[in-house]
Amino acid sequence: MEKKIFLFGFLVFLFACKKNDFLQEKSNEITAFNANTNEVTPGMLMIFTTTKIITKDTATAQIGNIAATLIKLDSFRMGMWVPVIPIGNYNINLKNAGGQDSLPVRVLPYNTITDPKNFLINLQKDAGSLTDSLEGFQSGGLLAGNELKFLRELKSRIDSKLSRLNPVQSELLAYLTDEFITNQSSLSLPTLDTALIFPRFNPEEQLADIVNLILPIHQNINKLSSVNLTAGDLWNTISSDLNEAAYLLSLQLYMIEKCRAVILNKQISSFACIAEGGLSIKDGATGAVPVRVIRGRYINQRLQVNLRTINQSDENLLNGKVKELFNLSNGLAKSDLTINQKWSRLQSKYNDLTVSIPTTYVFYTSPLPVLSKYKTFEVPPTVLVISKVSEPGISVVGSTDTDGALRLSFNSDINTIADGTKFNIRINYNQDLFNRSVSMAQQLSFENYPNVMIGGRIWMQENTTVKNFRNGESIPYVSWGPTWATLKTPAWCYYNNDPASEATYGLLYNWYAVNDSRGFAPEGWHVASDTEWKEIIAFLGGSAEAGGKLKAVSPLWNAPNTGATNSSGFSALPAGSRGNGGTYVNLGRGAAWWTANQYGPNGSWSYYASYNSSSATRGGASKQDGYSVRCVKD
């Protein structure tokens, strides 16, 4: 019996020893912490998270040779202000908190603050000035009055707290705020015109500019929100001047950024305009009546569109950066609720907060209005796209004219498209930020040459510039006067051998070119005959006044340009001619045109208009002279 009792006692003793060893092992077990980042700068709030319940309110961490205080945020998180230490790689020792003794961290390059106390004082001066500058936005309806009252009360409380900080605390707080005011320029307010739309100004570009400006503000708000909530938890655990100052200062910067976001977001809601309906021509034309266009020429027109500002029901239309912005805006509305809840809890805990900052917290709300505003907008050519041309043989190129209008240039291979061909083009205005596109179909009528109907016949409206016969062979170019004077074969030239004259005056030809069997006039046209010239002069009232009706009203004519009205649309310009010996004469003074009819063995009938007469005269000229040519449609 005694042996049994002894054996039982021995077993109890062994069990007790094992239990004690087990408890010792449990008490020595390491709590693993994870850091929210392994790259830091001084003044940053590091957060350490674990899966085990934290029992200590404070603990000490070692970074290199410097000790830092860990403060319990909740049951599973501790926070720590990163001390001011040199740039480099370190290991954080968390053994005092029951954690590992080697958590790697890298201190990134940072701006050195030589006078932290003065830095914080100047920061508050800037914050006060900025609050004052926001007054204008309050009177303009972009800010509520309580927002500015709240900021002023915050500043007063912060000023009193800063005066109580010791040098180490001031240094930590200075580095904390430097991240937000240096990198994000929190204390600068952009100036923006709140007008809805400017003439010939692209609202989408304006919207993109504002979006690019405000996105970093929202991103900064997210960072400040995180810092503010963490600082609030630190202060809630440990009531210290540093923790309170960090909380209030981060709340101040958060509120300033929120005010900027409110101002800019409300302006964005004015600039964010969605196209309604289709494009239209600004002068009132509908695009349904065909517009005549000429090969190698252009037309100018201005297009407009009806725009409306976006409203709260349009959120599903947003795209890209605008979508990102309004997602951030919605996120701000949610985080602002959390910020206010934290503020209310701390007010309840620290009663003097309610006394020093009695103003009610102002919540962030969506910047999108319920109703839209409308405005007609002239669309810049740079954002217009020609998306379709119904006739494959015609090319259409859009560009911007010198006066800001849309220039449409037309071309095709010569004579491949018949005169009078009707075709359509579609012009688009794409709003990429909204995944939206509006357009306009325009009817056009193609002509190979500018022309005008006079007396029942279609005449070319300009002097010819052909350099090849109809069969494709070249008409020789002859510039040398003595050679020209003796030719009895086809030739052409520029007036005074100046190629720049072609665009305005056309070319000069001898009659041998006009009458060549290979065909001078383009397909579908012929050189005006003597009979056709007689008809047009009779139609215009006879020789005595026909010249004035044929002449363009242009400064290219020498004064007095007698009788010029261009009532016929013929648009004659003083192209001059090439006469005896191949010399050039009468530029600015007169115009001369060949007919298709010969006058005697060495001459041809021709017609003249002069700067000092309203008449159009008929006469004979040497076939070797150089005159202009007008063609008539077959």
Side-chain angles (χ1 to χ4, degrees), residues 78-95:
M78 299 194 84
M80 178 190 78
W81 300 109
V82 176
V84 180
I85 53 178
I87 299 166
N89 296 315
Y90 297 87
N91 285 312
I92 302 178
N93 187 327
L94 300 169
K95 288 183 69 175

Side-chain angles (χ1 to χ4, degrees), residues 484-542:
W484 180 281
T486 60
L487 281 177
K488 293 190 177 181
T489 55
W492 66 269
C493 64
Y494 304 108
Y495 186 91
N496 207 30
N497 301 324
D498 179 9
S501 66
E502 178 183 359
T504 304
Y505 298 109
L507 303 176
L508 301 176
Y509 304 88
N510 63 20
W511 193 77
Y512 298 106
V514 172
N515 193 48
D516 194 279
S517 60
R518 288 168 287 184
F520 175 85
E523 188 74 35
W525 297 82
H526 60 269
V527 175
S529 66
D530 185 39
T531 300
E532 288 166 330
W533 272 101
K534 287 178 180 177
E535 289 174 354
I536 192 176
I537 288 172
F539 178 78
L540 295 177

